[in-house]
Amino acid sequence: MSRTLSTAVNAALAADHVPGLLLVELDFASGALRLNNSGVTVPWNGHEWLGAGNLGAVETVTEHSDLQMTGIAMQLTGIPPAMISRVLGEHYQGRSATVRFAPMNADYIVLADPIIIFRGRLDACNIALGDTGTVTLTAESPFADWERARVRRFTHEDQLAEYPGDKGLEFVPQMVEKTLVWGRA
């Protein structure tokens, strides 16, 4: 994926030492969950990004030059079992997930325009329980949706389900076995 980088990001990336963060934004029904991979909460873009530190991990993001679906796994450990019920009760599948790489300046302040390194949809959630819980969320790229079958029929009932009151396919059943004579010799 080609990216246009701002002057500030180009300058930060050209430096000998590039401090940076991963900013992870997960869209849950109850509100967005915003995490970063440092040990402190970081303000950016009008939001507070909670520091997950060593408790969180993001799988390596891979890219391909061809149109190929990819995915990532994000893991959060050390969650009290009481909070696991919130994860189990939330509707998350199909909701958006974004991972950004945020280069920082010399004062460890996030630059204005982090680079989006992954954008996709939340897919599955695996939970391992013990004294503390481990939640692993997977997200898939939009290309995964291309491989899903679209089940639509050209029937009156299917048309009414999509467009109530539309009678455009009302006579399709009568036309299925109809013999048509085309032209005369």
Side-chain angles (χ1 to χ4, degrees), residues 36-116:
N36 75 72
N37 64 332
S38 75
V40 296
T41 299
V42 174
W44 177 72
N45 201 24
H47 301 288
E48 297 292 321
W49 299 74
L50 181 65
N54 293 334
L55 300 177
V58 176
E59 182 180 81
T60 303
V61 177
T62 57
E63 289 186 349
H64 301 279
S65 60
D66 56 345
L67 296 176
Q68 184 177 357
M69 71 175 196
T70 57
I72 61 169
M74 297 160 285
Q75 187 177 63
L76 199 58
T77 58
I79 300 172
M83 293 188 69
I84 298 291
S85 63
R86 180 177 176 206
V87 175
L88 290 172
E90 286 275 337
H91 174 69
Y92 58 86
Q93 197 165 30
R95 299 185 72 93
S96 69
T98 306
V99 178
R100 294 175 173 88
F101 172 71
M104 303 172 83
N105 64 15
D107 297 323
Y108 293 97
I109 296 174
V110 175
L111 296 175
D113 42 5
I115 305 160
I116 294 175

Side-chain angles (χ1 to χ4, degrees), residues 9-47:
V9 170
N10 275 329
L13 294 176
D16 291 336
H17 175 71
V18 183
L21 292 174
L22 286 180
L23 301 175
V24 177
E25 185 172 23
L26 306 174
D27 178 33
F28 285 102
S30 62
L33 175 62
R34 294 178 181 90
L35 303 168
N36 75 72
N37 64 332
S38 75
V40 296
T41 299
V42 174
W44 177 72
N45 201 24
H47 301 288

